[in-house]
Amino acid sequence: MHFLDTGEMTEFKHLKEETCVESEVNISKEQEDQKCAAASQALQHEDTTGGGSTEGQECAEDGSDTVADPKEKEKEMGDSTNHSSVKRPRKSDKSLLFQQLVKLFFGCLAAVTCGMIYAVYLSTYHERKFWFSSRQELEREITFLGGSGLYYYYYKHMLAVPSFERGMQELMHDNRTVSSQTINAVEQLFLYPELVTSFLYRVTGSQDVIEPVYFYIGVVFGLQAVYVTALFVSSWVMSGTWVAGMLAVAWYIINRPDTTKVDYAIPLRDNWALPYFSCQVVALTGFLRNCNSSATEMFCYLLMGASTFTFILMWEYSHYVLFVQGLALFLLDCFDLVQPRKMADIHKVYLCSVVLAYVLQFQNPSLLSSPLLSLLAASTVARYLQHNLKMGSLVARLMKILLHFYLVFTIGMTFSYVVKRIMPVNESDHMLKFLEVKFGLNTTTDFVPNLLLCQEGFQSPSQDFFLRLTQASVLPFYLLVLLVCLLSILQAIYRRLSGEPMKSNLRLEDGRIGEKPEVIYHVFHTLLFGMLAMVFEGMKYLWTPYVCMFTAFGVCSPELWMTVFKWFKLKSVHPVVLALILSTAVPTIIGFSLWREYFPRVISELTELQEFHEPDTVELMNWIKRQAPVTAVFAGSPQLMGAVKLCSGWTVTSLPLYTDINLLRRSENIYQVYAMRPAEDIYKILTSYKASYVIIEETLCAEMSPVKGCRIKDLLDISNGHIMYEKGEMYAFSKYRRFCHEIKMNYSPYVNYFTRVFWNRSYHVYKVNSVISFQY
């Protein structure tokens, strides 16, 4: 593929020379010099303001090499004089266009094929893992693990109501989910995916064609196909060859445990949102490129706007992700590595997306207090205060950049503080306390921050994570590619701050991979998300896919190899030829090694019959549906309550959400059934939430956690002050025994308040007595 690309470059150069020859028939040498001088002035003006006409840019690009090499200019003028009377045929123009169309067609075909194959693979793997087609509806719903089944309940609800409008109204005023509360489920749970999917299921007439659960799963798997297709296109656009896209998809699938959670929790919000983020990254990559036509740039801009807005609408954490992306773009702008016009356009996309999402999310205050909006406001004000940020000597510009950082930080913090004072956001306090404890700035006995710290996604990644990436060969190559690009970017920053303009028409032989804005963005992108992934394991799902994509681009990019050869001043072999050879040979060797080692494993995953068996949970859900009254309210752990709500539709006391502090406090109170508290206290807590039944889970009551102090009962003992330390060991102490153990003994006073109505090996269900009967 790369040899084809080189041929295209050669033809393009010849075509340019022919155009110059034809134009020089009518233009004298003096007129040509005046035209190039005007183009140089237009280029300087564009570097200062970020504007300039399209014609001026083209002239600057055509004349940049002339200014850099006067001898070459004279040679071209001489050749044009000798051939001025010859008018060459323009067949090469048509052949070049044909080659480009063929390349584009096969690249798009390969991208779409990779996406479709991945979707089929996910569907087959899901069927093998859960035996999905052979299970009853209740057993299928239980396979939605981690509390994610709650979202699927609302999809079922929207299909069960007589009309879409009535279902929408019921979700906006939902008093049948959380006891003693009326919530806007669309706003609180970000249910737009379920609303859109249920609407599509209705209007497409799929009721007679496919079951609702298969339609729902199919949409999610289709989005995952879009995800890998977007990664393919990103790597293809940056490297110039769709071989890089295929290598990126291969690495993504091989490292699937670290790139996606769709295997075990299909309805999670990030499984819906991250495909749109990948489309946004593709559009941003294309938009940042210097050699775009106006039509291509407009297409990328519109796609970026649509995908950014959809991403914010789908996921409660989306504005934090965009904030990190905004920081990467902010660094590009500070070091003058991207046109100011494009940065202004990107800021417009961010602002419009946040405002529209704020309206459709029922004036969600967390969007107005988001760090993304603070960054936009701060950078705009700081730029207004510093008109001459990109002028002056090297030292002066560095000092101005440091001042700019300080201004943006100060103004951003002030803006966030003012917004929170005007529109208080309750959940920010517990998140701030969590971050203080996470980074060792404070300690606390509060249950909520300690519970968040014990969640797998908020812990530091294990060594197994890095071992898996190393075994798949992606991590070693990623570090090499990142090192080369980073050093080249530092060179570009030094040139830019020294007053040297960046070349907008880079050639392969220039060896300046670090001057391409799209490459610079992705370096900052992977660095920032990588730093977060080193602290929070859950961030690996945002970092690892782009590590795969970025690494595939690097090993397949002739520009990267040429940059290395330029540094070493290779002369024994022509560096351009060697760069093209290595950019083809290295990915080919990597691809064959991955095929030999991992393809049999992937096939074995599809052929191996796995077993998912939860008989105790199925028995519990069947009992609830058959025996519990419709008005019953169930209390228990948030994850179990999500399954209860999904399978039965009954009202529950808490939900598996970590963004709402009120629900987290509810969960803390309900969790007291696993603490050392008297029966009277537990009874008062449950009746305050109007609970009719409480479910005791054996796995939590007799929990053995590998993380010290992260068992639910440990967190409760710490919060309740029932912990003693002796010789470095932690002991629990209270005058009351643990409630979940004592209630099983069926003696007073526990039988006075609670009556056991169901039990099996995993669950014990107790009815909360409405009338207390004292037995001794």
Side-chain angles (χ1 to χ4, degrees):
M1 288 301 302
H2 289 298
F3 292 104
L4 178 62
D5 294 346
T6 307
E8 291 173 4
M9 288 174 56
T10 307
E11 286 193 74
F12 180 73
K13 289 180 180 179
H14 288 319
L15 180 61
K16 234 165 92 173
E17 292 177 359
E18 291 170 11
T19 306
C20 292
V21 167
E22 293 173 5
S23 63
E24 285 164 1
V25 174
N26 301 320
I27 300 176
S28 65
K29 181 177 180 180
E30 182 179 358
Q31 292 173 332
E32 182 69 13
D33 292 338
Q34 293 175 358
K35 183 178 179 181
C36 292
S40 299
Q41 294 177 0
L43 179 62
Q44 294 176 358
H45 177 71
E46 180 184 349
D47 288 335
T48 305
T49 62
S53 64
T54 306
E55 181 180 356
Q57 294 175 3
E58 292 174 354
C59 291
E61 291 174 3
D62 293 338
S64 60
D65 297 336
T66 305
V67 176
D69 195 349
K71 295 181 179 179
E72 195 172 312
K73 167 70 179 177
E74 293 175 4
K75 183 178 179 181
E76 290 177 1
M77 292 296 297
D79 293 341
S80 64
T81 304
N82 296 332
H83 297 85
S84 58
S85 60
V86 180
K87 189 171 183 180
R88 298 183 181 180
R90 304 184 63 91
K91 292 182 180 179
S92 59
D93 190 9
K94 295 182 180 180
S95 63
L96 177 62
L97 178 62
F98 177 75
Q99 290 179 7
Q100 291 177 341
L101 290 176
V102 170
K103 178 184 175 182
L104 180 64
F105 172 77
F106 282 105
C108 292
L109 181 63
V112 173
T113 302
C114 287
M116 294 178 63
I117 291 176
Y118 180 62
V120 172
Y121 167 76
L122 285 178
S123 178
T124 308
Y125 177 76
H126 182 262
E127 172 65 26
R128 290 286 183 175
K129 183 177 180 179
F130 297 111
W131 293 61
F132 208 73
S133 60
S134 60
R135 292 183 180 273
Q136 300 296 323
E137 181 180 3
L138 178 62
E139 294 175 317
R140 290 176 178 176
E141 294 172 352
I142 291 176
T143 61
F144 296 141
L145 304 176
S148 62
L150 176 66
Y151 300 104
Y152 181 74
Y153 161 77
Y154 290 102
Y155 168 72
K156 286 200 315 179
H157 177 77
M158 289 299 298
L159 296 180
V161 293
S163 65
F164 182 83
E165 293 78 9
R166 179 177 173 181
M168 186 73 176
Q169 287 295 324
E170 290 181 359
L171 295 188
M172 291 169 58
H173 305 87
D174 183 11
N175 58 0
R176 299 172 57 186
T177 296
V178 182
S179 62
S180 306
Q181 280 191 3
T182 298
I183 64 173
N184 186 340
V186 180
E187 174 190 359
Q188 196 155 358
L189 298 172
F190 283 73
L191 294 179
Y192 278 103
E194 282 67 32
L195 294 179
V196 174
T197 307
S198 61
F199 179 78
L200 291 176
Y201 188 77
R202 285 174 176 270
V203 299
T204 56
S206 301
Q207 296 89 337
D208 300 329
V209 180
I210 187 173
E211 297 180 50
V213 65
Y214 280 109
F215 186 84
Y216 184 88
I217 293 175
V219 172
V220 177
F221 289 165
L223 286 176
Q224 302 309 304
V226 174
Y227 196 169
V228 298
T229 302
L231 294 176
F232 183 109
V233 175
S234 294
S235 193
W236 176 20
V237 168
M238 294 174 64
S239 64
T241 170
W242 46 265
V243 174
M246 298 183 68
L247 184 58
V249 173
W251 265 328
Y252 177 90
I253 297 176
I254 290 170
N255 295 281
R256 198 177 70 258
D258 302 310
T259 56
T260 180
K261 292 187 271 188
V262 75
D263 286 356
Y264 62 89
I266 291 176
L268 285 180
R269 299 300 84 183
D270 40 346
N271 290 333
W272 289 90
L274 291 182
Y276 293 101
F277 180 62
S278 66
C279 292
Q280 191 255 16
V281 171
V282 172
L284 180 61
T285 302
F287 183 73
L288 290 175
R289 297 182 69 196
N290 288 325
C291 54
N292 287 333
S293 64
S294 57
T296 302
E297 187 172 302
M298 180 57 65
F299 172 77
C300 293
Y301 186 70
L302 294 176
L303 177 60
M304 179 171 56
S307 54
T308 302
F309 164 68
T310 309
F311 178 57
I312 296 177
L313 206 60
M314 292 286 177
W315 195 22
E316 62 267 32
Y317 298 113
S318 57
H319 54 88
Y320 295 108
V321 176
L322 293 176
F323 167 70
V324 178
Q325 184 187 69
L327 285 179
L329 294 169
F330 172 72
L331 292 176
L332 263 76
D333 187 40
C334 288
F335 294 113
D336 201 11
L337 300 173
V338 66
Q339 297 179 22
R341 172 186 62 84
K342 291 188 176 182
M343 279 302 303
D345 290 340
I346 294 171
H347 284 180
K348 292 176 185 177
V349 167
Y350 282 152
L351 183 60
C352 293
S353 300
V354 170
V355 171
L356 288 176
Y358 173 76
V359 174
L360 289 181
Q361 279 293 341
F362 309 94
Q363 293 77 48
N364 187 351
S366 64
L367 290 177
L368 294 184
S369 62
S370 66
L372 173 63
L373 200 58
S374 299
L375 177 64
L376 294 178
S379 59
T380 302
V381 174
R383 180 57 58 84
Y384 177 79
L385 297 175
Q386 288 182 292
H387 296 286
N388 58 349
L389 176 64
K390 300 177 181 179
M391 299 176 61
S393 62
L394 175 63
V395 177
R397 293 184 70 172
L398 286 175
M399 297 300 294
K400 290 177 183 179
I401 289 174
L402 291 176
L403 178 60
H404 189 66
F405 286 163
Y406 174 77
L407 283 176
V408 170
F409 177 78
T410 305
I411 297 171
M413 294 296 293
T414 304
F415 178 85
S416 178
Y417 175 78
V418 171
V419 170
K420 290 178 180 179
R421 295 290 293 179
I422 297 174
M423 305 179 63
V425 183
N426 296 328
E427 58 264 26
S428 61
D429 295 335
H430 80 277
M431 292 302 297
L432 181 61
K433 185 181 294 186
F434 158 73
L435 292 175
E436 290 177 352
V437 177
K438 175 66 178 179
F439 293 109
L441 302 177
N442 197 0
T443 59
T444 183
T445 60
D446 192 350
F447 177 84
V448 171
N450 289 329
L451 176 66
L452 294 177
L453 284 172
C454 289
Q455 299 300 310
E456 183 180 359
F458 292 124
Q459 295 178 7
S460 301
S462 62
Q463 294 182 354
D464 294 339
F465 167 59
F466 301 103
L467 182 61
R468 288 191 296 269
L469 293 182
T470 304
Q471 290 175 342
S473 72
V474 63
L475 187 59
F477 282 106
Y478 166 72
L479 294 176
L480 292 175
V481 171
L482 181 64
L483 179 62
V484 173
C485 291
L486 193 57
L487 291 177
S488 183
I489 289 171
L490 292 177
Q491 288 181 333
I493 292 175
Y494 177 78
R495 296 191 195 101
R496 203 72 181 99
L497 296 182
S498 299
E500 180 181 340
M502 291 184 65
K503 295 183 66 175
S504 59
N505 188 26
L506 291 171
R507 300 172 301 175
L508 175 60
E509 52 267 27
D510 291 333
R512 293 187 178 184
I513 190 72
E515 291 191 8
K516 302 177 73 172
E518 66 272 20
V519 175
I520 303 172
Y521 160 72
H522 278 282
V523 169
F524 290 153
H525 178 109
T526 57
L527 281 176
L528 292 175
F529 280 103
M531 288 187 290
L532 290 174
M534 298 304 104
V535 181
F536 304 106
E537 186 173 3
M539 293 299 297
K540 70 180 182 181
Y541 299 107
L542 283 163
W543 180 59
T544 312
Y546 295 96
V547 167
C548 299
M549 182 275 298
F550 183 75
T551 308
F553 140 74
V555 297
C556 296
S557 173
E559 287 85 356
L560 184 133
W561 294 101
M562 190 64 204
T563 301
V564 176
F565 298 150
K566 194 90 171 185
W567 290 342
F568 290 104
K569 298 181 180 179
L570 185 65
K571 296 181 179 180
S572 59
V573 181
H574 198 287
V576 175
V577 176
L578 186 58
L580 292 170
I581 293 174
L582 288 178
S583 61
T584 303
V586 172
T588 302
I589 295 172
I590 294 174
F592 276 117
S593 63
L594 294 178
W595 177 277
R596 186 181 63 179
E597 183 175 356
Y598 287 96
F599 183 74
R601 299 186 189 182
V602 173
I603 297 300
S604 66
E605 288 181 349
L606 300 181
T607 56
E608 181 183 354
L609 296 178
Q610 303 183 42
E611 184 176 3
F612 179 82
H613 195 47
E614 290 284 346
D616 293 341
T617 305
V618 172
E619 186 181 7
L620 171 64
M621 298 305 166
N622 282 325
W623 180 88
I624 292 174
K625 295 177 70 174
R626 295 170 184 171
Q627 301 296 329
V630 177
T631 56
V633 177
F634 283 86
S637 68
Q639 287 73 22
L640 182 60
M641 292 302 97
V644 170
K645 184 64 182 177
L646 167 62
C647 298
S648 66
W650 268 239
T651 306
V652 296
T653 57
S654 60
L655 296 175
L657 295 178
Y658 298 105
T659 55
D660 192 321
I661 185 59
N662 295 321
L663 286 176
L664 285 171
R665 293 300 178 192
R666 273 183 168 242
S667 300
E668 177 185 1
N669 292 332
I670 299 301
Y671 270 135
Q672 296 296 326
V673 298
Y674 302 103
M676 292 183 289
R677 299 285 295 271
E680 183 180 0
D681 289 357
I682 302 299
Y683 181 81
K684 289 180 180 179
I685 291 173
L686 295 176
T687 53
S688 67
Y689 294 123
K690 299 182 179 180
S692 308
Y693 298 88
V694 59
I695 304 176
I696 306 293
E697 298 176 61
E698 195 63 33
T699 54
L700 294 180
C701 192
E703 184 179 7
M704 299 297 293
S705 174
V707 182
K708 185 177 181 180
C710 271
R711 297 180 301 178
I712 291 296
K713 51 188 179 183
D714 292 340
L715 299 177
L716 292 168
D717 292 341
I718 294 173
S719 177
N720 296 335
H722 297 160
I723 289 295
M724 292 178 58
Y725 294 93
E726 183 177 345
K727 297 180 180 180
E729 295 292 332
M730 184 176 66
Y731 299 95
F733 173 80
S734 174
K735 63 179 181 179
Y736 301 103
R737 296 188 177 183
R738 202 166 298 280
F739 177 85
C740 64
H741 289 311
E742 296 301 306
I743 194 174
K744 300 174 187 176
M745 303 300 179
N746 286 330
Y747 61 77
S748 181
Y750 298 95
V751 294
N752 301 338
Y753 299 101
F754 307 97
T755 302
R756 187 167 65 179
V757 293
F758 172 84
W759 70 94
N760 58 26
R761 293 175 301 176
S762 302
Y763 304 101
H764 297 259
V765 181
Y766 294 87
K767 181 180 180 181
V768 181
N769 296 334
S770 56
V771 178
I772 303 176
S773 59
F774 290 95
Q775 303 178 23
Y776 298 95

